[in-house]
Amino acid sequence: MKKANHPVKTLDEKTDSLRLWDISGDEPTNIHVKAQQRSIRWEYFVAVIVVIIAVSVFFVGCQTKGPITSEPAMSPTVSPGSMGYELFQANCAACHGTSGRGDGIARMALDVAPRDFRNEPFRYVSTLDSIPTREDLIQTIKHGRVHGQMPAAPWLSDESTSILVDYVLELNRLGWVDKLTQEFTGDEEMTSQDIAEIAFERVTTEEPITLAMPGPQFRTNFTRGETLFMESCTSCHGPSGKGDGLDMPLDDLGRPIKVRNLTSDPIRGGSDVFELYKRIRCGVPGTPMPAQPALTNEQVWQLVFYTRSLMGQPQPGIER
Amino acid sequence: MNTFIRITTFGLLSLLLFGAVQSRSAPDKYKPIDVTSGGTITGVVRFEGTRPNLEQVDIKTKEDVCHSEPVYSENLVVSKEMKVHWAVVSLKNIKTGKAFEEPKDPKDRPTLDQKGCVFKPHIVLVERGKPLKLLNSDGVLHNVHTWPKKNRSKNIAMPGPVKEMTVKFRRPERIRVSCDIHRWMEAWIIVTEHPYYAVSDEKGKFELTDIPPGKYTLRVWHETLGEFEQEVEVKANDKTSVEFVLSEEKQD
């Protein structure tokens, strides 16, 4: 693993300018300078170069405005040699694949398909619009999703983790760019710029939840919890939480999945009360499990403790 | 050296200017204007071919409310007179015209109900950025799972006691809606950028009113039959009649 010496920001700042060059495909124009004779003043060369740059920038600008081009989306954040790339190859690629498509070499040994960062939503979120916050991803990387076979990575520094978060978000964004480009090529009402905007929106949450503690009046109430469970959960998780409520459930990509048996299955997102709160409130994107924006804070907490009781967990106080 | 600095500064400034011009030119948005002596387009959507039978859905769930009435698939509903229900007709690329009408009675606001384990109506029109009312008349858990391409995706639970919620969509598009619990449930939310949209009724009829006179492209879209267009001319205070003929062979 290569050591990270320079800060991430440098990479980010470069992003826009580098991207323009990637699209235009022009070679650096300095080559022409040497071919010229010294008899002409060198300032003119500079002027010529500046004009060439201006013109090519102008045309690149036109390209992003015009109809959708099917050029593959490039990004310095994920290109070989970048910090993110090195960290990803060293820590994640074995399962998630070198290009993050969930097709790593270790995949065969796993019961759970590793996430395809380009084509799948992230599952464990604390938002109502199915998009993870950076903190959600940091948590997944640092602590792992043990029951989902993703190991914790305590050896990663905060900085490395943050770079990896940028990296997977960028893979996801580029995945959207590709998908949308395929979908809308030939659609005169859509431009490359529209696609860039939509793809950016798809990785930028607008509705993070605040994880509010129950009020001082809160008491766990088994009957209330059970009623809420019957109203909101049994359709899929079954009346006793055994995961037998839904016939042949599918994920968003149409693959068969299992509804969690809350009485015996390990909970992949984590079974502490805060994680349960997030799953119940925000749902699990990419699966049939919906968000529950209509429930009150108190109702979600009742469901958290009722679910804990189904798991055979002792009823804990609220503590971290 | 001075010349160098001057040239470079000039170059950089012109770059910035180009960049600014490029990123500023936003796409033309629809502008509402006063439409006096506007014209009307009325029409009908006809089906050509063998009339498809209505398919009754085999409902496996035990919830009584889902068995209150027989449920039929609404993916392709053709009347005995061979008219197509649930086709969306709209003017393409219209940039100016009447303003959206704010319904006087809040009950008339765009609404998607879940009743008898069916989305009602099958197709609902809603202005971009404006609230769409979601109702649950069934008292059992439904989830409104949207499958947008341009908007953010949502999957919202509506447990029995939750009777009403609202959602908004920013970008115009056709969004498929499903319910994971009752998998036969399907609807389409059409997010519109202008008010010249209509859904054909059970007789295949539609009407667009108060259109500024001029030449337009009229578009029809049907979830199973696909998308078709034809040119129309709208004259002041006049009615233009249009017929769309849709068939399964023409589908792209």
Side-chain angles (χ1 to χ4, degrees):
Chain A
M1 194 181 94
K2 282 189 188 170
K3 261 276 173 214
N5 286 326
H6 48 91
V8 216
K9 277 196 176 154
T10 335
L11 285 173
D12 287 342
E13 280 160 14
K14 279 183 186 168
T15 309
D16 282 332
S17 55
L18 283 174
R19 195 173 147 71
L20 289 174
W21 292 113
D22 286 335
I23 296 169
S24 78
D26 284 352
E27 290 295 320
T29 39
N30 307 358
I31 308 158
H32 302 292
V33 181
K34 275 185 190 165
Q36 301 286 338
Q37 291 302 311
R38 288 212 126 235
S39 58
I40 310 172
R41 290 185 55 180
W42 63 275
E43 281 90 339
Y44 288 108
F45 301 127
V46 180
V48 167
I49 290 163
V50 167
V51 169
I52 291 172
I53 292 172
V55 168
S56 50
V57 165
F58 178 75
F59 279 112
V60 169
C62 287
Q63 255 181 23
T64 53
K65 279 295 293 171
I68 299 155
T69 52
S70 50
E71 294 282 311
M74 283 295 293
S75 159
T77 316
V78 297
S79 58
S82 72
M83 289 270 311
Y85 182 85
E86 301 299 338
L87 282 166
F88 188 86
Q89 301 309 322
N91 295 287
C92 321
C95 297
H96 292 287
T98 46
S99 56
R101 291 173 197 270
D103 53 357
I105 212 157
R107 182 185 51 170
M108 321 231 279
L110 302 172
D111 303 332
V112 181
R115 189 77 50 245
D116 175 351
F117 293 122
R118 294 181 62 98
N119 289 304
E120 271 185 279
F122 295 97
R123 295 281 196 272
Y124 305 109
V125 302
S126 61
T127 67
L128 295 177
D129 53 9
S130 311
I131 302 163
T133 62
R134 290 183 65 83
E135 286 65 37
D136 292 333
L137 296 174
I138 289 172
Q139 195 186 355
T140 303
I141 295 170
K142 283 221 147 171
H143 304 292
R145 294 293 172 187
V146 184
H147 300 302
Q149 298 182 329
M150 164 133 174
W155 59 85
L156 288 174
S157 68
D158 287 353
E159 198 197 344
S160 300
T161 310
S162 170
I163 292 171
L164 280 172
V165 168
D166 289 337
Y167 192 85
V168 292
L169 280 172
E170 184 64 0
L171 283 182
N172 203 236
R173 191 186 70 80
L174 292 174
W176 276 110
V177 170
D178 283 354
K179 237 180 294 177
L180 293 164
T181 304
Q182 234 172 36
E183 179 81 35
F184 291 110
T185 296
D187 184 334
E188 57 210 48
E189 285 155 39
M190 288 284 281
T191 64
S192 293
Q193 198 179 334
D194 292 331
I195 286 181
E197 278 172 28
I198 296 169
F200 175 78
E201 267 181 24
R202 288 300 188 109
V203 295
T204 315
T205 181
E206 263 185 349
E207 294 178 87
I209 59 158
T210 42
L211 216 157
M213 303 294 282
Q217 312 302 318
F218 180 83
R219 299 284 176 276
T220 52
N221 181 326
F222 191 84
T223 325
R224 269 183 65 71
E226 190 177 30
T227 311
L228 285 163
F229 192 85
M230 292 298 165
E231 286 164 1
S232 299
C233 316
T234 47
S235 300
C236 300
H237 290 284
S240 50
K242 290 198 168 129
D244 52 357
L246 204 57
D247 190 32
M248 291 169 61
L250 303 171
D251 73 2
D252 278 10
L253 300 181
R255 299 174 300 196
I257 47 166
K258 248 180 82 187
V259 178
R260 197 69 61 239
N261 178 345
L262 299 169
T263 64
S264 62
D265 289 350
I267 307 296
R268 284 189 201 155
S271 50
D272 77 70
V273 289
F274 297 102
E275 286 305 312
L276 289 176
Y277 185 102
K278 288 186 217 163
R279 294 301 89 72
I280 294 169
R281 175 66 93 197
C282 306
V284 182
T287 77
M289 171 112 174
Q292 295 272 10
L295 297 180
T296 64
N297 193 42
E298 191 262 345
Q299 287 174 323
V300 177
W301 279 114
Q302 289 293 1
L303 277 172
V304 167
F305 290 112
Y306 185 78
T307 312
R308 295 268 304 184
S309 77
L310 290 176
M311 293 169 183
Q313 300 279 356
Q315 297 288 307
I318 308 291
E319 55 192 17
R320 254 213 194 272
Chain B
M1 206 56 194
N2 270 344
T3 333
F4 175 69
I5 291 167
R6 245 180 280 144
I7 293 170
T8 324
T9 321
F10 173 73
L12 286 176
L13 279 177
S14 51
L15 279 185
L16 282 175
L17 194 70
F18 275 132
V21 169
Q22 289 302 316
S23 57
R24 276 294 165 82
S25 49
D28 318 333
K29 271 197 175 172
Y30 179 77
K31 273 194 209 109
I33 51 163
D34 282 336
V35 179
T36 47
S37 61
T40 300
I41 299 176
T42 58
V44 68
V45 185
R46 195 157 63 79
F47 182 79
E48 204 173 63
T50 331
R51 182 178 171 234
N53 289 322
L54 270 187
E55 275 176 46
Q56 189 172 349
V57 178
D58 180 20
I59 293 171
K60 294 212 173 90
T61 179
K62 290 186 193 104
E63 293 157 310
D64 289 341
V65 68
C66 298
H67 294 275
S68 46
E69 270 178 43
V71 175
Y72 296 96
S73 160
E74 289 175 299
N75 294 339
L76 180 56
V77 182
V78 180
S79 71
K80 277 180 192 143
E81 293 75 34
M82 302 295 271
K83 302 296 172 358
V84 182
H85 196 186
W86 304 124
V88 180
V89 180
S90 62
L91 287 180
K92 191 181 163 187
N93 291 338
I94 183 167
K95 291 298 168 210
T96 52
K98 68 176 172 184
F100 277 96
E101 267 173 58
E102 201 63 42
K104 284 175 198 123
D105 191 344
K107 276 185 186 167
D108 294 335
R109 296 225 174 101
T111 304
L112 185 62
D113 195 1
Q114 298 157 96
K115 201 173 180 187
C117 300
V118 175
F119 281 116
K120 285 184 178 168
H122 181 59
I123 294 184
V124 59
L125 304 176
V126 62
E127 183 186 349
R128 69 156 119 191
K130 288 287 160 66
L132 170 68
K133 220 172 5 173
L134 302 176
L135 298 182
N136 182 356
S137 304
D138 280 347
V140 300
L141 176 71
H142 285 300
N143 70 322
V144 178
H145 195 156
T146 62
W147 301 81
K149 288 173 181 147
K150 302 181 185 176
N151 290 280
R152 284 160 201 269
S153 103
K154 295 237 175 215
N155 180 5
I156 308 166
M158 288 192 74
V162 176
K163 295 290 170 220
E164 188 178 327
M165 292 179 80
T166 54
V167 280
K168 289 178 186 173
F169 298 96
R170 193 185 299 163
R171 295 169 188 274
E173 68 164 322
R174 305 184 282 252
I175 303 173
R176 192 170 77 83
V177 186
S178 67
C179 171
D180 293 279
I181 303 153
H182 312 102
R183 227 171 293 151
W184 61 90
M185 289 176 72
E186 198 177 37
W188 290 84
I189 298 170
I190 315 292
V191 186
T192 64
E193 69 278 29
H194 60 68
Y196 299 106
Y197 273 80
V199 182
S200 68
D201 62 15
E202 61 271 21
K203 289 176 183 159
K205 284 185 183 165
F206 63 88
E207 187 179 63
L208 298 171
T209 58
D210 300 319
I211 307 165
K215 284 183 179 165
Y216 297 97
T217 304
L218 191 65
R219 173 191 276 175
V220 64
W221 171 82
H222 184 275
E223 60 185 284
T224 308
L225 300 174
E227 197 172 83
F228 306 88
E229 288 175 2
Q230 62 172 284
E231 305 302 315
V232 284
E233 191 172 352
V234 177
K235 289 176 188 146
N237 299 317
D238 202 7
K239 257 189 191 176
T240 312
S241 289
V242 176
E243 187 190 54
F244 278 107
V245 183
L246 272 52
S247 71
E248 287 189 280
E249 289 79 52
K250 274 191 197 171
Q251 186 184 339
D252 32 61

PDB file of all heavy atoms in Angstrom, chain A residues 26-36 49 52:
ATOM      1  N   ASP A  26      -6.957  16.412 -26.300  1.00  0.00           N
ATOM      2  CA  ASP A  26      -5.847  17.102 -26.944  1.00  0.00           C
ATOM      3  C   ASP A  26      -4.536  16.786 -26.246  1.00  0.00           C
ATOM      4  O   ASP A  26      -4.481  16.615 -25.038  1.00  0.00           O
ATOM      5  CB  ASP A  26      -6.058  18.624 -26.876  1.00  0.00           C
ATOM      6  CG  ASP A  26      -7.104  19.056 -27.880  1.00  0.00           C
ATOM      7  OD1 ASP A  26      -7.509  18.200 -28.693  1.00  0.00           O
ATOM      8  OD2 ASP A  26      -7.496  20.224 -27.832  1.00  0.00           O
ATOM      9  N   GLU A  27      -3.476  16.750 -27.036  1.00  0.00           N
ATOM     10  CA  GLU A  27      -2.156  16.629 -26.438  1.00  0.00           C
ATOM     11  C   GLU A  27      -1.758  18.004 -25.933  1.00  0.00           C
ATOM     12  O   GLU A  27      -2.226  19.030 -26.442  1.00  0.00           O
ATOM     13  CB  GLU A  27      -1.145  16.179 -27.508  1.00  0.00           C
ATOM     14  CG  GLU A  27      -1.331  14.744 -27.965  1.00  0.00           C
ATOM     15  CD  GLU A  27      -1.081  13.752 -26.859  1.00  0.00           C
ATOM     16  OE1 GLU A  27      -0.116  13.971 -26.077  1.00  0.00           O
ATOM     17  OE2 GLU A  27      -1.824  12.782 -26.761  1.00  0.00           O
ATOM     18  N   PRO A  28      -0.891  18.037 -24.926  1.00  0.00           N
ATOM     19  CA  PRO A  28      -0.411  19.353 -24.502  1.00  0.00           C
ATOM     20  C   PRO A  28       0.201  20.081 -25.699  1.00  0.00           C
ATOM     21  O   PRO A  28       0.887  19.475 -26.528  1.00  0.00           O
ATOM     22  CB  PRO A  28       0.657  19.029 -23.458  1.00  0.00           C
ATOM     23  CG  PRO A  28       0.349  17.648 -23.000  1.00  0.00           C
ATOM     24  CD  PRO A  28      -0.346  16.964 -24.118  1.00  0.00           C
ATOM     25  N   THR A  29      -0.058  21.382 -25.797  1.00  0.00           N
ATOM     26  CA  THR A  29       0.304  22.098 -27.004  1.00  0.00           C
ATOM     27  C   THR A  29       1.735  22.609 -27.002  1.00  0.00           C
ATOM     28  O   THR A  29       2.197  23.153 -27.991  1.00  0.00           O
ATOM     29  CB  THR A  29      -0.646  23.287 -27.204  1.00  0.00           C
ATOM     30  OG1 THR A  29      -0.891  23.841 -25.920  1.00  0.00           O
ATOM     31  CG2 THR A  29      -1.934  22.831 -27.826  1.00  0.00           C
ATOM     32  N   ASN A  30       2.486  22.422 -25.916  1.00  0.00           N
ATOM     33  CA  ASN A  30       3.849  22.942 -25.807  1.00  0.00           C
ATOM     34  C   ASN A  30       4.783  22.399 -26.871  1.00  0.00           C
ATOM     35  O   ASN A  30       5.797  23.011 -27.188  1.00  0.00           O
ATOM     36  CB  ASN A  30       4.468  22.587 -24.444  1.00  0.00           C
ATOM     37  CG  ASN A  30       3.578  23.015 -23.320  1.00  0.00           C
ATOM     38  OD1 ASN A  30       2.538  23.599 -23.588  1.00  0.00           O
ATOM     39  ND2 ASN A  30       3.967  22.736 -22.104  1.00  0.00           N
ATOM     40  N   ILE A  31       4.464  21.253 -27.419  1.00  0.00           N
ATOM     41  CA  ILE A  31       5.319  20.600 -28.409  1.00  0.00           C
ATOM     42  C   ILE A  31       5.674  21.551 -29.552  1.00  0.00           C
ATOM     43  O   ILE A  31       6.789  21.558 -30.055  1.00  0.00           O
ATOM     44  CB  ILE A  31       4.609  19.380 -29.016  1.00  0.00           C
ATOM     45  CG1 ILE A  31       4.124  18.497 -27.866  1.00  0.00           C
ATOM     46  CG2 ILE A  31       5.511  18.612 -29.941  1.00  0.00           C
ATOM     47  CD1 ILE A  31       3.001  17.587 -28.242  1.00  0.00           C
ATOM     48  N   HIS A  32       4.726  22.378 -29.956  1.00  0.00           N
ATOM     49  CA  HIS A  32       4.937  23.258 -31.094  1.00  0.00           C
ATOM     50  C   HIS A  32       6.012  24.302 -30.837  1.00  0.00           C
ATOM     51  O   HIS A  32       6.600  24.809 -31.762  1.00  0.00           O
ATOM     52  CB  HIS A  32       3.634  23.972 -31.451  1.00  0.00           C
ATOM     53  CG  HIS A  32       2.541  23.015 -31.771  1.00  0.00           C
ATOM     54  ND1 HIS A  32       2.568  22.215 -32.892  1.00  0.00           N
ATOM     55  CD2 HIS A  32       1.417  22.709 -31.095  1.00  0.00           C
ATOM     56  CE1 HIS A  32       1.492  21.468 -32.907  1.00  0.00           C
ATOM     57  NE2 HIS A  32       0.772  21.733 -31.830  1.00  0.00           N
ATOM     58  N   VAL A  33       6.235  24.628 -29.587  1.00  0.00           N
ATOM     59  CA  VAL A  33       7.126  25.739 -29.270  1.00  0.00           C
ATOM     60  C   VAL A  33       8.529  25.514 -29.810  1.00  0.00           C
ATOM     61  O   VAL A  33       9.123  26.378 -30.445  1.00  0.00           O
ATOM     62  CB  VAL A  33       7.180  25.955 -27.744  1.00  0.00           C
ATOM     63  CG1 VAL A  33       8.090  27.122 -27.411  1.00  0.00           C
ATOM     64  CG2 VAL A  33       5.783  26.201 -27.225  1.00  0.00           C
ATOM     65  N   LYS A  34       9.055  24.319 -29.603  1.00  0.00           N
ATOM     66  CA  LYS A  34      10.432  24.052 -29.989  1.00  0.00           C
ATOM     67  C   LYS A  34      10.605  24.074 -31.501  1.00  0.00           C
ATOM     68  O   LYS A  34      11.657  24.411 -32.014  1.00  0.00           O
ATOM     69  CB  LYS A  34      10.881  22.705 -29.430  1.00  0.00           C
ATOM     70  CG  LYS A  34      11.381  22.822 -27.995  1.00  0.00           C
ATOM     71  CD  LYS A  34      11.940  21.491 -27.523  1.00  0.00           C
ATOM     72  CE  LYS A  34      12.206  21.560 -26.031  1.00  0.00           C
ATOM     73  NZ  LYS A  34      12.409  20.225 -25.470  1.00  0.00           N
ATOM     74  N   ALA A  35       9.592  23.698 -32.220  1.00  0.00           N
ATOM     75  CA  ALA A  35       9.684  23.612 -33.668  1.00  0.00           C
ATOM     76  C   ALA A  35       9.861  24.986 -34.318  1.00  0.00           C
ATOM     77  O   ALA A  35      10.374  25.099 -35.424  1.00  0.00           O
ATOM     78  CB  ALA A  35       8.442  22.934 -34.226  1.00  0.00           C
ATOM     79  N   GLN A  36       9.448  26.029 -33.626  1.00  0.00           N
ATOM     80  CA  GLN A  36       9.537  27.371 -34.190  1.00  0.00           C
ATOM     81  C   GLN A  36      10.961  27.934 -34.058  1.00  0.00           C
ATOM     82  O   GLN A  36      11.730  27.532 -33.191  1.00  0.00           O
ATOM     83  CB  GLN A  36       8.555  28.295 -33.452  1.00  0.00           C
ATOM     84  CG  GLN A  36       7.109  27.849 -33.524  1.00  0.00           C
ATOM     85  CD  GLN A  36       6.511  28.089 -34.896  1.00  0.00           C
ATOM     86  OE1 GLN A  36       7.002  28.921 -35.653  1.00  0.00           O
ATOM     87  NE2 GLN A  36       5.476  27.333 -35.232  1.00  0.00           N
ATOM     88  N   ILE A  49      -0.468  29.904 -27.876  1.00  0.00           N
ATOM     89  CA  ILE A  49      -0.855  28.808 -26.979  1.00  0.00           C
ATOM     90  C   ILE A  49      -2.136  29.162 -26.229  1.00  0.00           C
ATOM     91  O   ILE A  49      -3.075  28.369 -26.151  1.00  0.00           O
ATOM     92  CB  ILE A  49       0.289  28.498 -25.991  1.00  0.00           C
ATOM     93  CG1 ILE A  49       1.445  27.850 -26.763  1.00  0.00           C
ATOM     94  CG2 ILE A  49      -0.190  27.559 -24.893  1.00  0.00           C
ATOM     95  CD1 ILE A  49       2.758  27.877 -26.004  1.00  0.00           C
ATOM     96  N   ILE A  52      -5.041  28.824 -28.447  1.00  0.00           N
ATOM     97  CA  ILE A  52      -5.384  27.407 -28.665  1.00  0.00           C
ATOM     98  C   ILE A  52      -6.137  26.854 -27.460  1.00  0.00           C
ATOM     99  O   ILE A  52      -7.171  26.200 -27.586  1.00  0.00           O
ATOM    100  CB  ILE A  52      -4.113  26.568 -28.939  1.00  0.00           C
ATOM    101  CG1 ILE A  52      -3.532  26.955 -30.306  1.00  0.00           C
ATOM    102  CG2 ILE A  52      -4.440  25.069 -28.940  1.00  0.00           C
ATOM    103  CD1 ILE A  52      -2.188  26.344 -30.589  1.00  0.00           C
TER     104      ILE A  52
END
